[in-house]
């Protein structure tokens, strides 16, 4: 991005900080004026001074990736102040585990069907959301457990 393209309109960072955007502004290439919320989120979580220091320490060719990572983490922290992006990662890990189990069951059924051992079985249905507030599929790391354990808890009537 040339310096003339962002000298007429200040970058999102300079606009947010209410300062003049100089041609050598460290933020301008990564926080364009069209994306003010990106900088607002990063500033709220990390602070402009810390982001500036970080960008000055990171090699130029890695700065865009660094800013994208900061923006992702800042947005995740604003949505979930406790777990941030770790919460999103845990949701994805649970989805991978569930899908792997479904794939394994489907492959086993396919194998049985191919060798005429028995008629194909239906793949396992996802468990209904528990009363612990997992209706959205979100699960905090302390809630990680084996779905078969939930069935045992319900049948025994015990709660942790």
């Amino acid at each position: 991005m040339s310096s003339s393209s962002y000298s007429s309109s200040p970058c999102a960072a300079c606009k947010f900080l209410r300062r003049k955007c100089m041609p050598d502004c460290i933020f301008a290439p990564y926080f364009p004026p069209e994306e003010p919320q990106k900088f607002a989120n990063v500033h709220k979580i990390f602070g402009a001074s810390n982001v500036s220091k970080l960008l000055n320490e990171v090699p130029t060719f890695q700065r865009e990736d660094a800013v994208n990572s900061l923006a992702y983490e800042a947005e995740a922290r604003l949505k979930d102040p406790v777990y941030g992006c770790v919460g999103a990662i845990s949701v994805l890990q649970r989805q991978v585990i569930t899908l792997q189990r479904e794939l394994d069951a489907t492959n086993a059924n396919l194998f049985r069907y191919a060798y005429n051992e028995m008629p194909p079985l239906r793949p396992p249905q996802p468990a209904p959301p528990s009363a612990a507030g997992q209706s959205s599929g979100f699960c905090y790391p302390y809630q990680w457990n084996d779905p078969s354990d939930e069935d045992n808890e319900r049948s025994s009537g015990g709660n942790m």
Side-chain angles (χ1 to χ4, degrees):
M1 186 179 270
S2 69
S3 61
S4 62
S5 66
Y6 55 84
S7 62
S8 61
S9 177
C11 69
C14 291
K15 193 180 287 187
F16 184 89
L17 298 171
R18 297 179 182 180
R19 66 181 193 192
K20 183 175 174 148
C21 192
M22 305 303 286
D24 62 341
C25 175
I26 188 79
F27 299 117
Y30 314 106
F31 297 102
E34 306 85 45
E35 299 178 25
Q37 195 59 47
K38 181 178 178 181
F39 181 77
N41 292 347
V42 170
H43 174 66
K44 186 171 186 174
I45 300 300
F46 300 105
S49 178
N50 290 331
V51 174
S52 176
K53 289 175 191 173
L54 183 125
L55 290 176
N56 282 319
E57 291 177 11
V58 172
T60 307
F61 70 93
Q62 292 180 329
R63 287 180 183 171
E64 186 173 358
D65 290 336
V67 167
N68 289 337
S69 294
L70 289 171
Y72 181 80
E73 176 62 30
E75 187 175 333
R77 271 292 157 198
L78 290 171
K79 287 180 182 176
D80 183 356
V82 175
Y83 290 103
C85 64
V86 173
I89 291 168
S90 70
V91 167
L92 294 172
Q93 285 176 333
R94 290 197 45 97
Q95 287 177 353
V96 167
I97 290 167
T98 300
L99 291 171
Q100 186 63 51
R101 287 179 182 159
E102 288 178 23
L103 180 61
D104 291 344
T106 302
N107 283 335
N109 290 338
L110 183 60
F111 180 80
R112 284 188 209 102
Y113 181 76
Y115 290 98
N116 293 322
E117 291 181 15
M118 61 175 28
L121 302 174
R122 290 184 4 188
Q125 298 298 317
S130 69
Q134 295 180 6
S135 60
S136 66
F138 182 80
C139 181
Y140 291 103
Y142 65 83
Q143 293 174 316
W144 290 350
N145 59 2
D146 188 4
S148 62
D149 291 344
E150 292 175 10
D151 295 335
N152 294 337
E153 286 177 16
R154 284 190 204 119
S155 63
S156 65
N159 289 336
M160 284 194 199

